[in-house]
Amino acid sequence: MKTLILFLFSCVPFQCYAQSDNNYQTDNPQKTYVDSTIHECVSEYFNDSIMFGLSIGIVKEDLEFFYNYGSIDKEKSTLPTPITIYEIGSITKTFTGILLAQAVLDHKIKLENDIRDYLSEDYKNLEYNGVPIKIINLANHTAGLPEDIYADTLYKMKNPSMYDIMKVYEGDRGSIFSKGLQKVKLETEPGTRIHYSNTGIMLLGIILENVYGTSYSELLNKYITNPLKMPNTNIVFFESDTANYTKGYDKAGNIMPHIVFQIAGAAGGIKSTIQDMVQYVKANLAETNYTIKLSHEITAGTNENGIGLGWQISKNISGTKQLWHDGGEPGFSSYCLIVPSKKIGIICLINQRGRQMQLQNLSEKIILRIQ
């Protein structure tokens, strides 16, 4: 991670590649209290022998800090930079929540409406005892939908690799998803139980495309990435889209395929950089945009453990409200945490799967120590 106060130099990587005590390189100059705190925390949570590329962005008041550690390539020493591109996984869902809030503001969607009002197919199965799934249920994971919908062909495969799975979905624009959705049978009344569902957010993405008559990618650019000046943030559709960003690895250090499931865009298809994501953190901290503020309002659960429109919402050990989301892909992990009342937030990206809990612990400890 790299400690650079980039409030004047946000587009210029800080070239100070120091070797850390744990034998991984970093651009952290370790000169200030924030620098030292970040380095201590990174050393504590990432002290194993396999160290991949880790990037951290922090917003504190109006200041931006960037830190990079390790190498994004296992075969050679390549320190990440503020513009290294990662897959952010399910942090994408918070973007989708903001787009939903925009649709509400534009009078395109009503949160309490039956989702089938916005779908071209009947989906008579998407209700329980006559109670339909509402739009709000998709956004806060109370729809009762399964976590994921899989292609029928996958059930016939023995121990499919991630490459096998990618091949099944390659080029599919939603037919597999639609067929699977038609077979879903709800087991609980929508709105009564929180059950995390990629399926629900994917369906929400389809609905947003339907009501606006354009692609999720275009909506993302129009309402979020262009206004917030996030040029390297977008949906990955094809393998060719992955040529300009880093490899991803599993826990054993094997190279993993990039995610190019076109239907998965709204639930976890975004690629981005620490530099771009810091702008996203800043906008969510400010809460001056009504759509962002609406996405932060609790719609399910409690004040201690709730869900907004995409965002997970809880209280930290000091009782302060915080919003967060993590993300995991075959070769990437991510974590974003913001505390609006303290005007502080953090985003962590690493090109290795299965690191979400470490990133969460790292982020929470850093925020508590530097706020």
Side-chain angles (χ1 to χ4, degrees):
M1 300 137 222
K2 38 176 237 136
T3 295
L4 169 62
I5 304 182
L6 276 176
F7 53 99
L8 292 178
F9 311 102
S10 61
C11 295
V12 183
F14 184 70
Q15 303 294 319
C16 175
Y17 300 162
Q19 201 74 12
S20 79
D21 295 337
N22 293 67
N23 296 319
Y24 41 73
Q25 64 181 350
T26 178
D27 54 12
N28 185 339
Q30 302 180 55
K31 292 182 178 180
T32 69
Y33 173 74
V34 173
D35 297 346
S36 300
T37 298
I38 271 64
H39 193 69
E40 279 181 31
C41 292
V42 170
S43 299
E44 177 180 347
Y45 288 106
F46 290 88
N47 58 2
D48 53 5
S49 58
I50 300 179
M51 181 66 193
F52 295 91
L54 173 63
S55 296
I56 295 179
I58 296 172
V59 177
K60 190 176 188 300
E61 299 293 341
D62 292 325
L63 301 183
E64 301 173 11
F65 301 83
F66 298 87
Y67 303 85
N68 295 288
Y69 282 83
S71 175
I72 57 175
D73 193 324
K74 193 178 72 168
E75 303 302 323
K76 55 186 177 182
S77 181
T78 307
L79 186 73
T81 74
I83 57 173
T84 294
I85 297 176
Y86 300 81
E87 292 172 8
I88 69 170
S90 286
I91 293 177
T92 300
K93 292 179 175 67
T94 67
F95 287 76
T96 303
I98 293 171
L99 292 178
L100 173 58
Q102 182 67 52
V104 172
L105 183 66
D106 290 342
H107 304 291
K108 298 281 189 180
I109 289 177
K110 291 184 179 179
L111 295 179
E112 295 299 319
N113 277 12
D114 186 331
I115 62 171
R116 293 171 296 188
D117 294 345
Y118 308 98
L119 297 171
S120 57
E121 298 183 59
D122 288 340
Y123 293 112
K124 294 179 180 179
N125 58 314
L126 298 185
E127 61 177 42
Y128 183 84
N129 288 342
V131 178
I133 298 174
K134 300 176 181 178
I135 293 293
I136 190 64
N137 302 141
L138 299 180
N140 61 24
H141 302 287
T142 61
L145 292 170
E147 183 171 353
D148 292 289
I149 286 178
Y150 299 102
D152 289 338
T153 53
L154 290 179
Y155 293 104
K156 301 176 184 178
M157 302 171 67
K158 293 183 178 180
N159 302 317
S161 69
M162 184 53 62
Y163 287 93
D164 294 328
I165 295 172
M166 290 296 300
K167 189 174 182 179
V168 170
Y169 287 95
E170 187 176 10
D172 183 77
R173 293 179 178 273
S175 62
I176 292 174
F177 181 81
S178 178
K179 290 177 182 177
L181 192 62
Q182 290 170 350
K183 299 177 183 178
V184 167
K185 183 178 180 180
L186 300 187
E187 297 180 355
T188 59
E189 182 178 312
T192 60
R193 184 171 68 93
I194 295 174
H195 175 71
Y196 189 85
S197 174
N198 293 313
T199 302
I201 304 299
M202 289 181 192
L203 187 53
L204 182 56
I206 292 171
I207 290 172
L208 286 168
E209 290 183 330
N210 287 347
V211 299
Y212 278 103
T214 190
S215 70
Y216 181 89
S217 179
E218 288 299 318
L219 293 173
L220 183 69
N221 290 336
K222 179 177 180 179
Y223 292 111
I224 300 179
T225 60
N226 285 347
L228 297 184
K229 294 180 173 55
M230 300 170 65
N232 292 308
T233 303
N234 211 325
I235 294 292
V236 178
F237 287 112
F238 305 103
E239 187 63 33
S240 59
D241 295 334
T242 72
N244 67 336
Y245 71 90
T246 183
K247 304 171 185 175
Y249 298 90
D250 66 10
K251 284 189 174 182
N254 301 307
I255 296 177
M256 290 285 98
H258 291 295
I259 286 293
V260 290
F261 296 171
Q262 295 186 43
I263 191 63
I270 289 180
K271 63 178 181 179
S272 189
T273 67
I274 279 292
Q275 184 167 280
D276 278 13
M277 288 302 294
V278 159
Q279 303 313 309
Y280 186 66
V281 169
K282 287 177 69 175
N284 277 276
L285 283 174
E287 292 187 322
T288 53
N289 182 302
Y290 176 73
T291 58
I292 289 177
K293 188 173 180 61
L294 179 59
S295 75
H296 292 179
E297 295 181 5
I298 293 176
T299 60
T302 66
N303 290 334
E304 283 68 34
N305 188 18
I307 302 178
L309 300 182
W311 285 100
Q312 304 288 324
I313 304 170
S314 59
K315 289 186 177 180
N316 61 25
I317 59 175
S318 63
T320 304
K321 176 183 175 181
Q322 57 184 21
L323 297 97
W324 62 274
H325 213 295
D326 62 6
E329 297 291 8
F332 296 85
S333 303
S334 59
Y335 189 79
C336 182
L337 173 66
I338 64 172
V339 188
S341 66
K342 300 292 184 180
K343 299 188 183 303
I344 191 167
I346 186 170
I347 173 71
C348 298
L349 305 175
I350 189 170
N351 66 326
Q352 187 184 28
R353 73 177 300 179
R355 294 289 198 171
Q356 294 96 311
M357 185 58 69
Q358 284 172 298
L359 293 179
Q360 177 180 346
N361 293 336
L362 171 68
S363 299
E364 291 177 350
K365 188 162 188 176
I366 288 173
I367 291 297
L368 286 173
R369 289 184 59 180
I370 69 173
Q371 66 182 5

